[in-house]
Amino acid sequence: MLREMMEVWRAERQETGLMEVSATEECVGPMRLTQEPIQVLLVFAKEDSQSDAFWWACERAGFRCNIARTPESAVECFLDKHHEIIVIDGRHSRYFEPEAVCRLIRATKPSENTVILAVVPQRPADQEEPSVLPLLCAGFSRRFVENSSVSACYNELIQIEHGEVRCQFKLRACNSVFTALELCQEAVEITSEDHIIQYVNPAFERMMGYHKGELIGKELTELPKSDKNRADLLDTINTCIKKGKEWQGIYYARKKSGDSIQQHVKITPVIGQGGKIRHFVSIKRPHIDNNNQVHKFNKEERCSGEHSQSECHSLRHRDRRKDSIDARSLSSRGSDAPSLQNRRYSSVARIHSMTIEAPITKVINIINAAQESSPVTVAEALDRVLEILRTTELYSPQLASKEDDPHTNDLVGGLMSDGLRRLSGNEYVFCKNMSQSQLAIPVTLNDVPPSIAEMLNDEECWEFNILELEAATHKRPLTYLGLKIFTSFGVCEFLNCSEATLRSWLQLMEASYHASNSYHNSTHAADVLHATAYFLRKERVKSSLDQLDEVAALIAATVHDVDHPGRTNSFLCNAGSELAILYNDTAVLESHHAALAFQLTVRDSKSNIFKNTDRNQFRTLRQAIIDMVLATEMTRHFEHVSKFVNSINKPMAAIEETSTSSVNSDCDGQANIRNSPENRLLIKRMLIKCADVANPCRPLELCIEWAGRISEEYFAQTDEEKRQGLPVVMPVFDRNTCSVPKSQISFIDYFITDMFDAWDAFACLPGLMEHLSENYKYWKGLDEMKCKSLRPPPS
């Protein structure tokens, strides 16, 4: 009778292997505003007493139920409904493999919040209980031993609802809560019951000038306090919150820069299991005075008494462009500043009251608001601006047709994209060249051979010949140069490691570069390290960074291309290499360099230069190193340069050109711009980017040699692409037809000139710019002679 009733019930709903048994067709997504009935998907190839029992159990529990007969229809139904519980028949493998069905479902995004139950057959009493691990590895959450009792199935489903399903609802809510915290305008700080910082949101970082890595894990008592609070205020706060009561009031906090900031603070104790206080949540915002003006976050935003508020806004914003930025026309000076003096901006108070959104959304909303009261011609122009802003390639200049400049197009295609995403059967897996040099490594710097020591005496000069050091050290220049530079910057003292540990680490890193590469070998790493050290010694760079920044920059330069295979990211993606798959075709090599450097470093205590470093300091240092290595990836080249110019060069130029204050005031204003955490990050990125591609700014003979080496590496890649039948990402680098002068001219025009103009404006590098000009003339001369080689033909 039961089976007949079910057949009548389903007859009208059966369609292509999928039966809808719910009275509601509503698709319930992964987030609910109200609690909807639980949805259950039964995956049974054949109807039997077990599937019937689960169906009636769902009816009894008030759950909505679907039945799928095939793996395909199960995935289709799940993607449509996002069921909280899935029951898969695992008793018979002749219809489908239950593990395979589970993996199919687990491969979908919504399944992370789903409980999947495997129905397994009963075993004879004398048979050993099988392991549950294979099911768990396949993605199942639980197993259910075959039992056609409706009550047994009902009990199982109710237990799942009150256990795992409810936990999943809470986890989904947590994701949303943390997203809200990340976007929240108010600064949020969460500490443990012992006042150890466990979380700060980005608004807190911006307000206080710290990076979260400098805070998390520290006790509040370790942070510097402002002396503007009354003496008993902290005791009053602690007495209140320890009783489980909320405290709110005005409190002075000390920013990382040392300035005090007046805040409105609300501290709420969070009661956990057992009625004990488990956390304290502090919500902070700048205190608003009687004039309803928001206190400024940064010293550089404070205006002198000589100017009115509107004049201060004009000075602060005068150098921002109205138009979208063409990265090829970026100037290192704020020449367009006077034209924007009369531009009007919303008050700071109004901006602070806006709903928190992504910065680009804020910009679009401001433009939309401006359109409402603008003349037709202005509104139409703003429409075109909005079209540009809504694209995703804001920092990538648009090129002319490929026929106009094939060299530039090929360089951009090869260096600034991740290939055509066409996976090939030809797996490109490179092996690590870990062999150690046969050259005896000195015990200390005092034991360096005299000839090498004499070369290293010139290490602080830009004209230092790294290729001579390469020859003298039998292609192991990185260890020797590294010992000299790291010692001069006091790296061992900063890291609290011995010189022997540093030497072992340098040897390990150098051995991890591929000596067989014509360009991306340890000599290139040594060259980049040399340029990095040279830049760090420039006065304006040195005054902008602290010692941790310097140490991070030197380490990043040393490891930035470790284990480079001599092929571009585009090649690895097209070849379907293991690294491209591991890093999802995104910044493949740079991610590998950074990850491998740390893997190798911490593997052996003898070469672990971080082994004596404080945990919080190590995390900050590690983050800085990773960020700098990733900055060498070329897809974000124009973004990094644009941000540097607009956040640092232009505001500093505006202060130089427009300030009527004293010279000391100018210096203070520029120092405030340079020393903010965000801008120090931009300076470090720009520093390593320029060091990485400084070859066109080296003396001519070095420039020519490096041009030949990189060209040979690109030729070898093109040869291999043709052999393997892969897309040729840089067709102009065919060794039989390529014009090396044209490729160098395109590289300098497109990537080098604007970037080094901006870096020179900041760091003052006249010698480099003179070399760049002379080298450009050299390549132009060869091109005009129709010469395709590195040097002119003999006369």
Side-chain angles (χ1 to χ4, degrees), residues 503-625:
R503 184 185 66 252
S504 296
W505 180 79
L506 286 168
Q507 284 182 267
L508 177 62
M509 291 303 114
E510 183 149 46
S512 301
Y513 280 86
H514 295 203
S516 57
N517 291 343
S518 59
Y519 183 89
H520 287 102
N521 48 41
S522 69
T523 306
H524 167 65
D527 184 61
V528 175
L529 175 61
H530 172 263
T532 298
Y534 182 84
F535 294 151
L536 288 173
R537 292 183 177 115
K538 305 305 290 185
E539 185 55 40
R540 188 176 273 179
V541 178
K542 190 173 184 63
S543 64
S544 304
L545 306 177
D546 57 25
Q547 191 176 11
L548 186 144
D549 294 321
E550 293 178 348
V551 171
L554 295 172
I555 294 173
T558 303
V559 307
H560 83 283
D561 272 335
V562 70
D563 198 36
H564 196 294
R567 300 292 182 264
T568 64
N569 279 332
S570 299
F571 179 97
L572 297 179
C573 294
N574 287 332
S577 73
E578 289 181 358
L579 282 184
I581 293 171
L582 177 63
Y583 293 110
N584 301 312
D585 292 349
T586 305
V588 175
L589 284 172
E590 293 73 24
S591 299
H592 175 61
H593 303 323
L596 181 64
F598 280 97
Q599 288 172 357
L600 294 173
T601 300
V602 302
R603 185 177 295 169
D604 189 343
S605 177
K606 290 189 298 184
S607 53
N608 185 359
I609 56 175
F610 304 120
K611 61 185 175 184
N612 297 324
T613 306
D614 170 74
R615 181 169 64 92
N616 289 328
Q617 187 181 66
F618 170 71
R619 290 175 63 181
T620 305
L621 191 63
R622 170 174 157 78
Q623 192 57 49
I625 294 166

Side-chain angles (χ1 to χ4, degrees), residues 66-108:
N66 300 98
I67 301 178
R69 298 298 185 203
T70 65
E72 295 75 20
S73 62
V75 174
E76 179 185 352
C77 183
F78 173 71
L79 289 175
D80 180 43
K81 300 294 183 184
H82 296 179
H83 305 80
E84 283 79 22
I85 303 172
I86 299 177
V87 182
I88 300 178
D89 186 8
R91 297 167 299 163
H92 316 289
S93 59
R94 63 179 179 274
Y95 301 114
F96 53 70
E97 290 289 339
E99 290 86 358
V101 178
C102 185
R103 289 192 183 96
L104 278 175
I105 294 172
R106 285 294 184 209
T108 64

Side-chain angles (χ1 to χ4, degrees), residues 291-298 300-321 337-352 366 651 654-655 658:
N291 296 321
N292 203 33
Q293 292 300 318
V294 178
H295 287 265
K296 310 298 183 288
F297 285 177
N298 299 311
E300 60 266 28
E301 290 185 343
R302 298 190 183 124
C303 299
S304 67
E306 300 173 7
H307 300 289
S308 68
Q309 185 181 5
S310 61
E311 287 172 331
C312 293
H313 276 284
S314 176
L315 287 176
R316 197 158 60 244
H317 296 292
R318 66 191 304 163
D319 206 38
R320 297 183 183 173
R321 294 177 183 257
S339 67
L340 301 180
Q341 287 182 7
N342 298 321
R343 183 172 178 182
R344 296 185 179 183
Y345 290 85
S346 303
S347 69
V348 175
R350 182 184 171 199
I351 290 175
H352 277 283
I366 293 170
I655 290 175
T658 63

Side-chain angles (χ1 to χ4, degrees), residues 447-491:
D447 295 325
V448 173
S451 60
I452 296 177
E454 187 176 349
M455 288 181 190
L456 291 174
N457 287 335
D458 298 329
E459 168 266 320
E460 293 191 15
C461 301
W462 179 252
E463 286 70 23
F464 176 73
N465 194 323
I466 195 70
L467 301 181
E468 289 183 359
L469 183 64
E470 176 192 59
T473 59
H474 301 278
K475 295 189 175 182
R476 289 301 185 204
L478 183 59
T479 300
Y480 288 93
L481 184 65
L483 280 170
K484 178 72 185 295
I485 289 176
F486 277 51
T487 300
S488 68
F489 278 87
V491 174

